């Protein structure tokens, strides 16, 4: 299949590489010359522009930071929806506002282009290993069209509901993850302050009733897990500012439906303070820095 892949960041780059490895013909693009250079060196064919990447594409996939980037790419008088052939399937895997996903899906439908939202969970490790979880919003039929492509990047594919429902599922999940990472950090910092060995404490909690994904795969303390972003200087994982964006989306959504999400609100404020302290570009697990005694 001919696939255009737009957005070669921490997630998009490895996802596109998995599609190429599976035998698809890729045409990739990123606004960052550095990202293009990095993935060209790994064998991804790079197009001169987003518009050039979608010429002849049967499927278009985007993996961009936030709503404004997705709107900017697809909508407007010069937007990509005007350049993609009718009949093409568009899969947007960025985590964005559900309302934006619905807007892009409606604009696509008006041109005979099927658009589904398919945000992911699983981190950069899951993107590299091809074991992501996809949460899809759109019609059952469009999901079935996308399934063979999604299967090459992920291990779990869920139909959350109509357009935008994938995004709603994703922000519920990330609100929980944001809270869990702070709770996990607090517990580890408390143990260290009492002289416990953080590796031993992490293992005790991982196998006890406090066990969670952060303790399994993403320990926030450097040196506990070799593969976690913490052990790599908090580089290359899921940025604090991206988590802050997701918690903001969750709070906007909660306000719209008058839901009570007190811990989600507190978590958003704590990541905002962490970002203001200059850590927005570090992986979100660096939030533990805020809870630890300075050396
Ligand atoms: P990233 O910042 O590493 O990458 C985004 C890329 O998009 C950048 O390389 C940027 O140059 C590019 N870009 C922006 N606008 C563009 C445009 N108009 N055309 C082409 N390229 C453009 O972000 P990421 O970590 O890869 O995350 C991407 C999305 O996936 C976000 O919505 C994020 O919330 C979500 N997500 C991230 C993770 C993670 O662990 N990093 C996990 C799940 C979901």
């Amino acid at each position: 299949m001919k696939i255009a892949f737009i957005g070669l960041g921490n997630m998009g780059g490895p996802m596109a590489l998995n599609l190429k490895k599976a035998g698809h013909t890729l045409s990739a693009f990123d606004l960052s010359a550095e990202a293009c250079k990095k993935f060209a060196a790994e064998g991804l064919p790079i197009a001169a522009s987003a518009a050039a990447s979608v010429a002849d594409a049967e499927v278009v996939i985007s993996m961009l930071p936030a709503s404004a980037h997705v709107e900017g790419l697809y909508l407007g008088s010069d937007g990509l929806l005007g350049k993609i052939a009718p009949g093409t399937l568009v899969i947007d895997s960025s985590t964005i506002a559900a309302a934006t996903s619905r807007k892009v899906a409606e604009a696509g439908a008006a041109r005979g282009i099927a658009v589904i939202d398919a945000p992911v969970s699983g981190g950069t490790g899951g993107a590299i290993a091809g074991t992501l979880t996809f949460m899809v919003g759109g019609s059952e039929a469009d999901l079935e069209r996308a399934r063979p492509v999604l299967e090459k990047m992920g291990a779990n594919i869920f139909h959350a509901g109509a357009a935008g429902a994938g995004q709603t599922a994703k922000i519920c999940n990330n609100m929980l993850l944001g809270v869990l990472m702070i709770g996990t950090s607090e517990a580890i910092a408390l143990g260290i302050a009492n002289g416990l060995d953080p590796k031993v404490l992490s293992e005790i909690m991982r196998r006890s009733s406090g066990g969670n994904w952060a303790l399994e795969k993403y320990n926030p303390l450097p040196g506990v897990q070799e593969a976690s972003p913490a052990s790599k200087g908090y580089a290359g994982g899921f940025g604090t500012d991206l988590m802050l964006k997701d918690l903001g989306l969750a709070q906007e959504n909660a306000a719209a439906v008058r839901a009570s999400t007190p811990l989600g609100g507190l978590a958003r404020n704590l990541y905002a303070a962490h970002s203001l302290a200059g850590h927005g570009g570090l992986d979100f697990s660096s939030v533990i820095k805020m809870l630890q005694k300075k050396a």
Side-chain angles (χ1 to χ4, degrees):
M1 217 179 271
K2 287 187 177 167
I3 302 177
F5 203 111
I6 302 165
L8 305 173
N10 291 331
M11 296 295 286
M15 289 164 73
L17 281 177
N18 279 333
L19 291 174
K20 178 155 186 292
K21 271 185 222 146
H24 293 297
T25 303
L26 269 285
S27 180
F29 179 72
D30 194 294
L31 283 179
S32 148
E34 200 186 322
C36 290
K37 202 171 148 198
K38 178 176 169 198
F39 287 99
E42 299 209 35
L44 266 191
I46 305 292
S49 64
S53 75
V54 303
D56 300 334
E58 294 158 85
V59 174
V60 176
I61 304 177
S62 46
M63 191 52 166
L64 306 183
S67 299
H69 305 89
V70 175
E71 275 203 59
L73 179 71
Y74 289 110
L75 304 180
S77 54
D78 199 33
L80 219 52
L81 286 179
K83 301 179 168 84
I84 295 172
T88 306
L89 173 67
V90 173
I91 303 170
D92 178 45
S93 282
S94 326
T95 303
I96 62 171
T100 305
S101 290
R102 285 193 287 270
K103 203 163 141 186
V104 177
E106 278 163 24
R111 293 171 180 271
I113 297 165
V115 183
I116 61 172
D117 46 298
V120 302
S121 176
T124 46
I128 294 165
T131 56
L132 293 169
T133 293
F134 283 92
M135 312 166 199
V136 177
S139 74
E140 195 87 57
D142 290 338
L143 166 56
E144 290 315 314
R145 276 182 74 193
R147 190 180 290 279
V149 174
L150 301 182
E151 277 174 349
K152 298 292 182 283
M153 301 182 283
N156 303 296
I157 300 164
F158 291 102
H159 189 207
Q167 299 296 352
T168 305
K170 172 66 184 170
I171 57 156
C172 292
N173 179 75
N174 273 27
M175 184 176 78
L176 179 57
L177 172 64
V179 170
L180 279 175
M181 187 57 82
I182 294 172
T184 301
S185 298
E186 267 182 37
I188 292 173
L190 178 63
I192 293 172
N194 280 280
L196 295 193
D197 178 335
K199 271 195 185 175
V200 174
L201 174 62
S202 292
E203 188 57 9
I204 291 171
M205 295 193 294
R206 187 179 77 84
R207 291 174 180 247
S208 303
S209 43
N212 66 70
W213 188 82
L215 287 168
E216 281 296 333
K217 300 195 171 163
Y218 220 95
N219 197 292
L221 196 76
V224 176
Q225 281 166 342
E226 212 181 300
S228 75
S231 298
K232 298 172 186 161
Y234 298 105
F238 180 45
T240 294
D241 283 344
L242 289 177
M243 175 52 92
L244 183 56
K245 167 207 58 158
D246 290 0
L247 290 167
L249 289 172
Q251 289 306 291
E252 279 168 26
N253 185 286
V257 299
R258 303 187 69 195
S260 171
T261 53
L263 294 185
L266 179 57
R268 198 210 72 84
N269 270 302
L270 289 170
Y271 286 106
H274 189 50
S275 177
L276 286 172
H279 304 305
L282 297 184
D283 181 79
F284 80 113
S285 62
S286 64
V287 73
I288 196 172
K289 284 174 184 279
M290 166 187 268
L291 303 162
Q292 268 187 305
K293 199 173 162 191
K294 301 282 170 287

